[in-house]
Each structure stands twice: as C-alpha cells, then as structure tokens.
Amino acid sequence: MAKESPNRLKHFAALKSRYQATQYQDSSPTSLLYLILRKVDLGIELSDLEFNWLKEYELVETLKAIKQEQQHRFQEVGNLEFEFSKLQSKYKATKHDVSWQSSHLYFILMKLESGNFLTDSEVKWLRANGLHETNQIAQEVNRFTQLKYKYKATQYQDSYPDSKLYQILKKLELAEHLNNSEYNWLLNNQLLETAEIFKQQESVKETRFAQLREKYEANLHSDLSLSSPLYPILQNIDAKNNLSELEINWLEQQGLSQTIAIAQDLEQTREFAALKAKYKATEYQDSSPKSHLYKILKRLELSNQLGEQDINFLKKCKLTEIIEIANEKYASTLKSKIDLGELLNESEIDWLQNNRREDIIILAQQKHFTILKRKYRLICLSLALEPFYPIMVKLEKKERLDPKLVLQLMEEELLSPGGKIALAYYRLEAEFYEQEFHRTGNKWDIPTASSYWRKADEPEQALKLTNLDLNQIRESNLKSAISVTRGASFRDMYNLADAENCAKKAMEYQPESYQPCTLMAAIAHDRSDYTKRDYWYEQAIKRGAKPEDIDDERKRVVRSTKDENKRHEAAEYLLKKDSQRYAWAKSYLKKWSDNGK
C-alpha cells in the first residue's frame, strides 16, 4: 500500500485538474471526490447522492466539466453507431442484426475499410454468419491491397473495390492498355510510380508487337500503335490459336495475305499433328500440311471411309493401324445407321462383306426384318430369318418370287386372302402377267392377271384389264375364261347383276365348262338363295368338277362372306343338309355365338 499511495495521489491530482476541482482541499485517496471523479473517468453513471454532494461543496465547475464529458461520450457513442451502420451498408452486412458493441463485425469492417488483410479466422467468422457478400467484397479488398503493393500505389487510401484505381490496377495486371483518361487519373492522383510501370509495360508490348510483325510478315501495315486490331490478331496466332472468320476478313481487307497464309499453315500443321496422334501415325516423319497423309486423315474425319487409293498409300507407308481404325470407325457409323432404323445400301453391304463384318450384316437384316414384319403385320409370328427375310426383301424390291419361296409361304399359310404379304405377292404376279400380255400379246395372260388382281384385293384393276371386245377373240374357251374372271370381279364389288350376265355369257361361249356354274353358285350364295346355289354346284359336277373341289369352293365362298349373319345362315343350311360332310361349318356357328349374336 505504501508504494501505491503516491501513484493514487498523483492520479487524484490529475483528475482534479481535468475536472476543475483543484480548490477542493482534501487530497486523500479515501476522499469521496476521488471516488466520484474515478467513476466519471470510467464512464460510470453518477447517482443523485453524488451529484448532490458536488453541489453541497459548491464544485460548480466540476459539475460543468462532468456534464460536458458525459455529452461528449454520448455523442461519440452515436458517432460509432452511425459509422457502423454505414459500414454495414457499404460492405453488404445489414442482415447481421446484432449490437455493434458486442459483435466482431465492427472490427472486421474497419479492417476492410482501412485496407488491411483479414485473418483466416475472420474469414471463417463471416462465412459462419452467412455474410457471403461481405466475404466476397473482403476478397476483392485483399486483391486490391495486393495490387496496390505490387504497382506502387499504397499511398492511395481508398480500398473499396469500386475504386477507379482498382479497375486500372486490374488492367495493369493483365498487361492491358490504359486509355488517356486512366493514365491522366494516375498522374492527377500523384501515383507516378504506377504510371511509370504502365509506360514500361507499353514499351515491352511495343517491342513485342514489332517482333510479331516481323515474324508473321505484317510490316507493311501502317498502324503501328498498340490499339491496332493487328496486335491482338498476331498475339492470337503466336498463342497457337485458330483465327476467327472476322479476323481473317480483317487481314484480307488490310492486304495481309501472307500473314493469313502463315496462320493457316500453322493451323493445318497443328491439325495434322492432332490427327496423327488420333490415328496413331506419329512415327510418320513428314509434318507438312502438304503431305498426302494429311489429306487422307482429313477425308477420313469427314467420311469415315477410305478409298482404295488411300488404302494402298497407307499400306505402302506401313500405316496399317490407320486402316484398322478407319474400318472400325466406318463400321460404327453403319451400326449407328442401323440403330436409327435406316437401311444399308448395296455398296455398304459389299464393304461389310469384303471386311468380314457379317455380324453387322446380320444385325442390319434382323432390324430390317423386324421393320418388314411390322409392315406386313407379321410381328406376332416367330418367323425364321431364312427364308422369310429374303422373301420380304424381294417383295419390297417388287421382284417375283421363285416357286420354292412361294411354297414356303404356303407352308406357313402366309398366302391366305387379305394378308399383307399375300396382297403384295398377288399384286406382283398380276403386274407381271399384265406386262407379259402387253409385251407378247398372249391373251391367255389376261384371265391369269385378272385372277391375281382379284386376289390382291384390287378387282377394279381386273375389270379394267378385262374390258375387251370379246368379238375380236376367236377361241371360245378364252372368251369364257375372261368372262368368268370379269364376272367374279363384279361379284367382288357386290355388282351381282353384271356378275350374272358375265357368267351367262361364259356358259354361252363354253357350255361344257363348269367354271361359269361355280360363279353362278357363288352369286346365288350372295343372294342367300341356297337351293339355287346347290343346283349350280351340281351342274358344275356334271360338267367335270370334282366333288371335293366343289366342297372346297363351298368353304371358300362361306369363308369370304363378309356379312356375319349371312355366313351364319349359310353354315346352318349346310349343317342341316349334311352335318358330317359339312362339319367344318360348325366353326362359323361358334364364332357367331362368341360375338354375342
């Protein structure tokens, strides 16, 4: 205590002098005045007792000094609070709503304002409190400060990223040109060292520009300033970048054709090197774009296929790996084509065969087979690729089928009336015999072609073909045959009157033929006159038709009847007539019943 007493005496004396209380005689540290003045000095609020005591001892000047001190403190607190609010707004930290007196934020924002670097812990604190924009600005402030040190501009006080100096320093960092306004701004702000650095940069660039003009034969260009469009173009070429169309056009306008030629030669050289690496031909020594190999690789990039001359060149140069890569690439192209549902042409199939890629040929056939089965409505059938794919391909090409192929279709019951594949086959046959008639004049091809037109479900074509003047034909049996097929065509189109007329004419031309009788029977069936139908079938048998053939004809007529009620009626009639002989008719009764009739 003895050592502390003089210090406290000095402290008390200093406080009395500061707060104008020197007239108070008691200088003891135990004095009430010392307590009061220490509280004021620490910013602690005085009580009414303490104010009354000062008044009692008539320490008026001391009271005034204390009040002034308190007002000053209050004003300073307000200033601090206002300053904090401004910093919050400036550094995008307004959403951090806490007391400025207890938060780390005030100190951090003041560090940013003064251009000081934040510590890692301070950066983490900003992130932890969701102040991402503030943190972003802090990073910019740090970058700005670094650039100020690097370009000798530390005397400039403002460290906020929107400063014009920051924009200038960033341009200097990228060695970009400053305009006159920016350069003068540096001079006006006494940033002479920074301005000198810029001048040094410009000098280096001017030297570099001169070197590039020499290197790329552009010395004839009159504009030697760094603002010339030529400078960035030459930099682009030197950086091994390809020129844009706009750059090439500009060079052409300036008459710098040699510069363009050099740039394009460099581009092609780079492309050639890349292609050699891609196609594993790096051992090939010639790197000139004039090399024949370059032309081959360029074509290969575009077409995926090598020509015979190219293959011979590659073999001669022992670059067979390129051939293998090209073949695999072309094979992949053909696979993609197949996957897209496209058909391979003959040259593509020949290539696959020559290169022993039967796997892709089979894939193409299977895909095409599926498409054709869908087209011919056979998708639900498990047909083998052989022989049915070749059959369908022939039909697609409108080529006639060999007898063996026709028999194979019959075995699978694919020539049943109305089927898509049957219609295609019968149409081809009809066209063939009609063309044969026009080529040879053999009129016996007329009824044959007419019969096929009917089976192709095109009776109008049969009527067109058989619309003849039969008086010009001598053979009565031919006239009869044409009349029968013409009558059958009328019947197909439900024109029973004309069909009957044709049948009667046929009987006149050849009374002993049974075919007009079967036509009459079919017409009677369509009219639901089953007694007359049976009569005409009996007449057909008398004229040589086999009973079993007539039964088959009955089956065909009933089967081709489209009106279900009439078909049911005909089936009932036959079963009543002879249930054993016409047992097959029961199936039509069942179908009629299943349909809810």
Side-chain angles (χ1 to χ4, degrees), residues 260-314:
I260 296 172
I262 294 171
Q264 290 178 337
D265 188 70
L266 291 172
E267 288 177 19
Q268 291 172 351
T269 301
R270 289 193 296 272
E271 183 184 28
F272 189 17
L275 289 173
K276 285 201 292 184
K278 180 177 179 178
Y279 290 100
K280 301 183 179 179
T282 50
E283 71 276 12
Y284 190 74
Q285 296 301 315
D286 189 354
S287 297
S288 169
K290 297 177 182 178
S291 164
H292 185 60
L293 178 60
Y294 176 56
K295 296 173 184 176
I296 289 175
L297 298 182
K298 283 275 287 182
R299 282 198 297 269
L300 186 55
E301 279 290 282
L302 295 172
S303 67
N304 293 333
Q305 189 178 13
L306 293 174
E308 186 176 349
Q309 186 179 356
D310 295 338
I311 292 172
N312 292 335
F313 174 85
L314 293 171

Side-chain angles (χ1 to χ4, degrees), residues 151-414:
Y151 293 101
K152 315 296 184 184
T154 51
Q155 70 267 37
Y156 190 75
Q157 296 302 311
D158 186 4
S159 294
Y160 198 72
D162 66 356
S163 166
K164 187 168 186 176
L165 176 61
Y166 187 35
Q167 310 310 315
I168 292 174
L169 296 183
K170 284 194 291 185
K171 290 182 77 171
L172 290 179
E173 182 70 2
L174 296 171
E176 293 180 1
H177 180 72
L178 299 185
N179 57 41
N180 290 335
S181 172
E182 292 167 329
Y183 180 67
N184 290 332
W185 188 91
L186 292 175
L187 297 178
N188 293 336
N189 284 274
Q190 299 301 308
L191 296 169
L192 304 182
E193 288 184 282
T194 308
E196 182 58 29
I197 292 172
F198 163 66
K199 298 299 288 184
Q200 291 171 3
Q201 281 188 351
E202 293 294 281
S203 177
V204 170
K205 285 190 282 187
E206 286 168 358
T207 302
R208 181 61 179 154
F209 189 16
Q211 292 171 343
L212 291 174
R213 291 197 307 272
E214 182 72 28
K215 183 177 181 179
Y216 296 108
E217 300 186 22
N219 279 324
L220 294 177
H221 189 59
S222 58
D223 188 355
L224 305 182
S225 69
L226 294 176
S227 60
S228 167
L230 179 60
Y231 184 38
I233 290 176
L234 296 182
Q235 285 180 307
N236 217 8
I237 297 172
D238 206 54
K240 299 180 179 180
N241 295 322
N242 294 345
L243 293 183
S244 68
E245 189 175 345
L246 286 175
E247 290 172 324
I248 293 172
N249 290 340
W250 187 88
L251 290 172
E252 287 177 344
Q253 291 167 6
Q254 307 305 312
L256 297 170
S257 56
Q258 193 59 34
T259 306
I260 296 172
I262 294 171
Q264 290 178 337
D265 188 70
L266 291 172
E267 288 177 19
Q268 291 172 351
T269 301
R270 289 193 296 272
E271 183 184 28
F272 189 17
L275 289 173
K276 285 201 292 184
K278 180 177 179 178
Y279 290 100
K280 301 183 179 179
T282 50
E283 71 276 12
Y284 190 74
Q285 296 301 315
D286 189 354
S287 297
S288 169
K290 297 177 182 178
S291 164
H292 185 60
L293 178 60
Y294 176 56
K295 296 173 184 176
I296 289 175
L297 298 182
K298 283 275 287 182
R299 282 198 297 269
L300 186 55
E301 279 290 282
L302 295 172
S303 67
N304 293 333
Q305 189 178 13
L306 293 174
E308 186 176 349
Q309 186 179 356
D310 295 338
I311 292 172
N312 292 335
F313 174 85
L314 293 171
K315 286 179 178 178
K316 185 178 178 180
C317 296
K318 297 181 180 180
L319 296 171
T320 54
E321 199 164 2
I322 294 178
I323 300 173
E324 293 172 7
I325 294 171
N327 287 348
E328 194 56 42
K329 194 175 179 185
Y330 186 56
S332 296
T333 300
L334 296 182
K335 272 186 180 179
S336 299
K337 186 176 180 180
I338 293 166
D339 290 337
L340 291 171
E342 298 178 21
L343 300 181
L344 301 184
N345 57 44
E346 289 185 9
S347 65
E348 290 168 336
I349 293 172
D350 288 342
W351 184 90
L352 290 170
Q353 289 173 338
N354 294 335
N355 287 274
R356 298 178 180 178
R357 293 308 301 264
E358 286 78 10
D359 58 320
I360 299 179
I361 294 174
I362 292 171
L363 175 65
Q365 290 175 341
Q366 289 171 338
K367 289 274 187 179
H368 192 205
F369 189 32
T370 301
I371 292 169
L372 292 177
K373 284 201 295 182
R374 188 175 292 111
K375 176 180 177 178
Y376 289 105
R377 298 179 184 175
L378 301 173
I379 201 69
C380 57
L381 299 180
S382 56
L383 298 176
L385 191 69
E386 290 289 341
F388 297 104
Y389 175 65
I391 289 173
M392 292 181 187
V393 170
K394 276 181 167 288
L395 292 176
E396 285 292 292
K397 293 180 178 179
K398 297 189 180 301
E399 296 177 4
R400 293 184 71 214
L401 302 183
D402 300 332
K404 180 183 176 182
L405 298 178
V406 176
L407 290 172
Q408 288 170 324
L409 286 176
M410 289 179 174
E411 287 172 0
E412 293 292 333
E413 297 183 355
L414 294 178

Side-chain angles (χ1 to χ4, degrees), residues 452-490:
Y452 279 121
W453 277 125
R454 289 183 57 233
K455 290 179 180 178
D457 202 18
E458 296 185 47
E460 63 278 359
Q461 292 296 330
L463 289 173
K464 184 179 178 182
L465 178 64
T466 57
N467 187 19
L468 303 168
D469 182 3
L470 297 182
N471 293 324
Q472 300 297 318
I473 298 174
R474 293 181 180 179
E475 302 98 318
S476 59
N477 57 346
L478 176 56
K479 291 196 283 187
S480 178
I482 292 173
S483 297
V484 168
T485 188
R486 183 171 176 79
S489 300
F490 276 125

